[in-house]
Amino acid sequence: LEAATAFESFIQQHPDHPHIADALYYLGIAYFEQMLSADRDQTATKNAILSLRNFTSRYPEDKRVTKAREVIEACNVRLAEHELYVGHFYLRTDHYQAAIKRLTPIPKQYPAFTELDRVYLYLGQAHLRAGQSAEAVDIFNTLYAKFPDSKYVDKARKTLAKEY
C-alpha cells in the first residue's frame, strides 16, 4: 500500500522524469500485490490493470511489457472470477435479474476465462428461474455447443428436465 502511494505521488509530481516507466510498471505491480480474493473488493485489481495498461501503451518497447501483459491477464481472470462469484451469489439468493446482469457480460469481456462453462450454467439457471425459458434454452444450447465435455452439461440437462 505504501509503495503504491509513493509511486502515485512520484508520477504526479514528476510526469516527465526519465524513470516514469519504472514508476508506472511498479505501481501496477504494487496494486497487483494488493489484489484480494474473488469474493472481496476488486479495486486494487482494477487499479493494477489501469496502471499496467498505461505502462504498456506508453512504453510498448520496454522489456517488461510481456510481464505486464501477463499480470493484466491474471487481473482479468480475477475480475471474471469476481463477477462469477457475485452472479452465483445473486442466483443462490433468488435475485435472478441481478444474476443475469452480472453473468451476461462475462463471456464477452473475458473470452479466455476458463470457467465459461460454469458461467453459462448459472446464466441459464437464472433465466429459467426468472421465467425466461427461451433465453435459458439458448444459453444451455450455447453451453452444449461450446463445452460438450463439460461437467456442467449434465447439470444443465437435469435443470431443464426438471422444468419441463
Side-chain angles (χ1 to χ4, degrees):
L1 186 59
E2 289 176 21
T5 303
F7 287 125
E8 282 181 355
S9 177
F10 179 82
I11 292 166
Q12 287 175 355
Q13 293 175 13
H14 309 285
D16 297 323
H17 194 278
H19 292 288
I20 201 73
D22 298 328
L24 282 171
Y25 176 77
Y26 289 117
L27 174 62
I29 298 302
Y31 280 129
F32 176 72
E33 293 296 327
Q34 295 175 49
M35 191 167 66
L36 301 176
S37 61
D39 61 331
R40 307 285 304 276
D41 176 60
Q42 295 302 306
T43 301
T45 309
K46 292 173 186 174
N47 287 340
I49 291 171
L50 289 173
S51 299
L52 291 170
R53 280 189 182 154
N54 188 6
F55 166 75
T56 59
S57 68
R58 287 177 65 182
Y59 305 98
E61 301 301 319
D62 192 287
K63 64 183 178 190
R64 297 167 291 194
V65 165
T66 301
K67 177 64 177 169
R69 288 188 177 128
E70 290 171 4
V71 173
I72 289 169
E73 185 53 37
C75 291
N76 281 329
V77 168
R78 181 59 49 87
L79 291 179
E81 290 169 344
H82 176 73
E83 292 303 307
L84 178 58
Y85 175 84
V86 173
H88 187 235
F89 170 81
Y90 284 138
L91 177 63
R92 286 189 340 259
T93 58
D94 302 331
H95 293 89
Y96 306 123
Q97 291 303 323
I100 292 167
K101 186 175 179 180
R102 290 309 276 259
L103 296 169
T104 298
I106 295 173
K108 192 170 198 165
Q109 287 181 335
Y110 309 103
F113 184 49
T114 59
E115 294 189 62
L116 288 179
D117 53 345
R118 190 159 61 127
V119 171
Y120 286 121
L121 173 68
Y122 294 161
L123 187 55
Q125 289 174 336
H127 277 291
L128 202 56
R129 292 176 189 167
Q132 302 166 351
S133 299
E135 291 88 345
V137 169
D138 286 344
I139 296 293
F140 286 143
N141 284 335
T142 301
L143 170 63
Y144 306 151
K146 289 187 175 186
F147 304 97
D149 298 326
S150 170
K151 64 183 178 184
Y152 298 111
V153 167
D154 192 43
K155 291 180 182 185
R157 287 194 173 115
K158 288 178 182 175
T159 300
L160 272 178
K162 219 186 305 183
E163 294 297 318
Y164 290 107

